[in-house]
Amino acid sequence: MPERGWRAWRGWRLWRLWPQSLLGRLSLVMVAGLLVTQLAASLIWSAQLRTKAEADTRAASQYLGQGAAGAIRFFRSLPPSYRSLLIQQFREMGGTRFFVGLNKAYVPVPGIGGQALAHTALSTLEATLTADLRPAGPIRLGFAWPDQLAVSPDGVKVGELPESWVRHILLLKPDPAPVLVIQTELEPGNWLYLATLMPNPYFLNSHDPLSTDRLVPQALSLAAVLLLSILVVRSITRPLAALSDAAEAFGKDENAPALPESGSREFVNTARAFGAMRERIARYIADRERLFISISHDLRTPITRLKLRAELLDDDALRQEFEEDLDELDMMVKGALQCVKDSDIHENPAEVNLDALIRRLVRSAELAGHGVAFGGTPLTVRAKPLALKRAIGNLLDNALFYGERAEVSVRGVDGWIEIAVRDHGPGVPEDAFASLLQPYVRLSHGRERNDGGMGLGLGIAAGIIDGHGGELVLANHPQGGLNAVIRLPA
C-alpha cells in the first residue's frame, strides 16, 4: 500500500474509533488523561522504587556477606574431622541462620534469570566475601527457587531434608522465596555449602510497580475517579440532550414541555434563550396562520363563483378538469406565501400513483403547445399529492420555459424512486449550481426566456422534496441540458 494511502486508511480508522457523542468524547478524553497521568506517576514511582530497592539490596547483601565470611573463616579454622560433628550439633539444636553442608564437589545451582536485583545482590556479596576472605579461594554464588535447589552432588533437594534443618532457609508460604547459596572450597575435595534467605526474602518484588498489593489500590482509585468523572460528564451532557430533544420536538410541531431552568448557569441561560426563541417562533407561526385564514377567506368567494360557473359548462370532461383545478387552487391559496413547504400544513401523506400524476402534468403542458416525452410507470410513492405535484410541476415548467421540450422518466433504484426531468436547453454553468436553489436567483438565460419568473420554483421544489425525506439532485446531462432528479424513499 502506498504511504499516502496507508496514512489515509490509518486516519480513517482512527476517526471511526473517535466517539460521535459529546458524552463519549469527554469520557474518552478524561479516561485517557487519567490513564496517562497514572502511567506517568507509575513510571516515576517505579524509578524511585528501583533506586531504593537497589540501595536496600546492596546494604542487605553486604551485611549477609560479612556474616557468611565469618562462617567460612570459622569452618576453615576447624580440623576437617570436627566439621561434620559441629554441623550435626547445629542441626540437632534446631539449625542456624545458614543451612550448612559439606560436599566432596561443587553442587550446580539452577540460577534465577532476568532479575536485576539478584545480579546486584550477587555482585555485592562477591565483592564483600572477596574483601573479607584473604585468600578467598574459589567462591560460587547463586539464587535458586526452593523446589529446584539441590544440597548435595547426588541430587538431594532441600525440600527433602528434615524440617528442623531448613526451617530458617525455606519460605514456601504464602509465596516461595529465593534461596541464596554460597559454596567455597575449604581444601581440595572439601566444599562448604551455605544456604540462607536474604534479610528481605521477597526483595525481588520490592521494586515491581505491577505487584498485586500496588495494582489493587491504584485500580480502585482509578475506577473511583473514572466513575465520578463519567457521572460529572453525564450531568453536563444530559441538559444538552434535553435541549436537542426539545429542538427536535419543536421542529416537528410537537408540544414539548418547557426546558427546566436548573443546572449550571450557562445551561439556565441557554434554556431561557431557547424558550424565548420558541415563543417568538410560535407567535410568528400563529400570525402566519391567521394570514392564511384571511387569504383563504378572501379568496373563497371568487373560487365559489368560478365553481358555479364551471357547473354551467356543457363539456363534462372540461368541467371535471375545471373542478379539479379549482379544488387544487382552494388548497394552494392557504399556503401561497410559503416558498419552501407549501402544502405541509393542510395535506396528509397518501399513496400517489406517479403515472396518473405525471400524465396530468404532461397533458396540461401539451395543451399549452409544449412537447413532453413520458413513457409511463407503474410505480407509486407515499407522499403529499398536491405538494409532490407542485414540485414536479415546477421542474417541468422550468424545463419547458428554458429548454423548449422536456423528458420525464421514473425508475426505482436501491430503495429509492427517482423522477428525472430533463430539458434540452443550454444547461447550467458549474459555478452556478451552488446558488441555484436560493430564492430569487435567476440565470441570464432564464431572464431572457421568461421575464415573469421570480426564481422561486427550484427552491419551492427542493423544500417540498426535503419535507418528504428525499433530495433534489441537479446536474447537466451528458447530451446537453439540465437534468433534475427527484429522489424519494420507495
Side-chain angles (χ1 to χ4, degrees):
M1 180 182 294
E3 182 66 21
R4 182 177 300 177
W6 165 252
R7 290 180 180 177
W9 180 82
R10 183 174 57 185
W12 176 76
R13 289 298 298 267
L14 291 176
W15 175 249
R16 288 196 63 185
L17 295 176
W18 182 248
Q20 299 302 313
S21 65
L22 182 60
L23 174 62
R25 291 182 178 182
L26 290 178
S27 300
L28 180 61
V29 169
M30 298 189 71
V31 168
L34 287 172
L35 291 178
V36 170
T37 303
Q38 286 278 19
L39 179 60
S42 297
L43 291 176
I44 296 174
W45 187 24
S46 176
Q48 294 176 346
L49 286 176
R50 187 179 298 108
T51 302
K52 184 177 182 301
E54 289 178 354
D56 294 344
T57 300
R58 288 192 182 95
S61 300
Q62 187 175 9
Y63 168 76
L64 192 60
Q66 293 172 352
I72 293 173
R73 283 195 299 268
F74 174 72
F75 278 96
R76 279 182 177 177
S77 66
L78 292 176
S81 59
Y82 288 172
R83 294 169 183 166
S84 298
L85 295 176
L86 186 61
I87 292 173
Q88 186 63 31
Q89 290 180 1
F90 286 160
R91 293 175 180 174
E92 290 177 358
M93 291 171 58
T96 61
R97 177 182 181 83
F98 293 98
F99 168 79
V100 185
L102 292 173
N103 297 309
K104 297 298 182 180
Y106 166 73
V107 180
V109 176
I112 298 175
Q115 294 287 348
L117 284 182
H119 177 73
T120 300
L122 294 177
S123 61
T124 304
L125 277 168
E126 184 177 7
T128 303
L129 291 174
T130 303
D132 289 353
L133 298 174
R134 295 188 182 277
I139 298 176
R140 302 289 185 270
L141 305 174
F143 283 100
W145 297 111
D147 59 343
Q148 301 175 354
L149 179 61
V151 296
S152 63
D154 55 3
V156 177
K157 299 297 174 72
V158 68
E160 300 173 0
L161 299 176
E163 183 181 357
S164 61
W165 293 10
V166 296
R167 66 179 59 175
H168 298 295
I169 68 164
L170 276 185
L171 190 57
L172 300 176
K173 296 179 181 180
D175 194 25
V179 179
L180 171 64
V181 179
I182 304 173
Q183 300 183 71
T184 183
E185 192 175 28
L186 301 176
E187 301 93 20
N190 288 324
W191 284 78
L192 180 65
Y193 186 101
L194 301 177
T196 186
L197 294 174
M198 292 288 288
N200 176 14
Y202 299 105
F203 75 102
L204 295 179
N205 298 328
S206 60
H207 74 293
D208 184 12
L210 300 180
S211 58
T212 304
D213 56 342
R214 294 188 178 97
L215 283 180
V216 171
Q218 287 187 357
L220 291 177
S221 62
L222 180 62
V225 172
L226 290 180
L227 179 61
L228 293 176
S229 300
I230 292 176
L231 291 177
V232 170
V233 171
R234 189 169 182 180
S235 66
I236 294 174
T237 57
R238 185 183 292 113
L240 297 178
L243 178 62
S244 175
D245 295 339
E248 183 177 2
F250 182 63
K252 294 180 179 179
D253 198 20
E254 299 175 357
N255 294 324
L259 289 175
E261 295 184 3
S262 60
S264 63
R265 181 178 58 186
E266 291 79 6
F267 178 73
V268 170
N269 294 336
T270 302
R272 291 174 179 172
F274 180 79
M277 179 193 68
R278 184 163 60 178
E279 292 177 359
R280 289 195 300 268
I281 295 177
R283 287 196 300 269
Y284 166 75
I285 293 176
D287 293 340
R288 189 185 61 177
E289 290 290 343
R290 286 193 294 270
L291 177 62
F292 292 160
I293 294 173
S294 300
I295 293 175
S296 177
H297 180 270
D298 293 340
L299 292 177
R300 185 176 297 115
T301 300
I303 291 176
T304 303
R305 288 200 301 266
L306 290 174
K307 287 183 178 181
L308 293 175
R309 293 175 182 176
E311 292 293 335
L312 301 177
L313 295 176
D314 296 332
D315 190 338
D316 294 338
L318 184 60
R319 184 174 64 253
Q320 183 178 357
E321 291 183 1
F322 265 104
E323 290 176 351
E324 291 177 356
D325 290 339
L326 289 173
D327 290 337
E328 181 180 339
L329 179 61
D330 191 22
M331 294 291 293
M332 290 177 61
V333 293
K334 298 177 183 179
L337 301 182
Q338 277 190 317
C339 294
V340 179
K341 296 182 178 180
D342 176 72
S343 56
D344 284 353
I345 297 175
H346 306 286
E347 202 174 9
N348 295 322
E351 293 294 329
V352 178
N353 187 330
L354 293 178
D355 185 79
L357 186 147
I358 296 175
R359 286 191 182 279
R360 285 194 61 200
L361 294 173
V362 170
R363 183 180 177 188
S364 299
E366 290 175 345
L367 290 175
H370 298 289
V372 181
F374 175 62
T377 177
L379 297 177
T380 60
V381 66
R382 184 168 183 80
K384 299 178 179 180
L386 292 180
L388 181 59
K389 181 179 179 182
R390 185 174 188 193
I392 300 175
N394 286 352
L395 298 180
L396 186 59
D397 290 342
N398 282 349
L400 296 176
F401 274 127
Y402 309 128
E404 297 182 355
R405 59 190 179 92
E407 297 176 2
V408 182
S409 61
V410 181
R411 64 170 184 167
V413 181
D414 298 331
W416 294 84
I417 291 180
E418 294 186 352
I419 306 171
V421 180
R422 178 205 168 187
D423 63 42
H424 289 265
V428 176
E430 294 297 332
D431 57 351
F433 278 105
S435 60
L436 200 58
L437 297 181
Q438 296 179 6
Y440 308 110
V441 173
R442 304 185 66 205
L443 303 181
S444 59
H445 175 69
R447 290 192 296 267
E448 295 173 358
R449 298 295 304 271
N450 183 17
D451 294 335
M454 299 181 64
L456 299 175
L458 287 179
I460 293 174
I464 293 173
I465 296 165
D466 183 71
H468 284 78
E471 59 179 342
L472 176 62
V473 181
L474 302 176
N476 287 321
H477 197 276
Q479 299 179 1
L482 179 67
N483 191 41
V485 180
I486 298 174
R487 300 185 77 241
L488 297 174

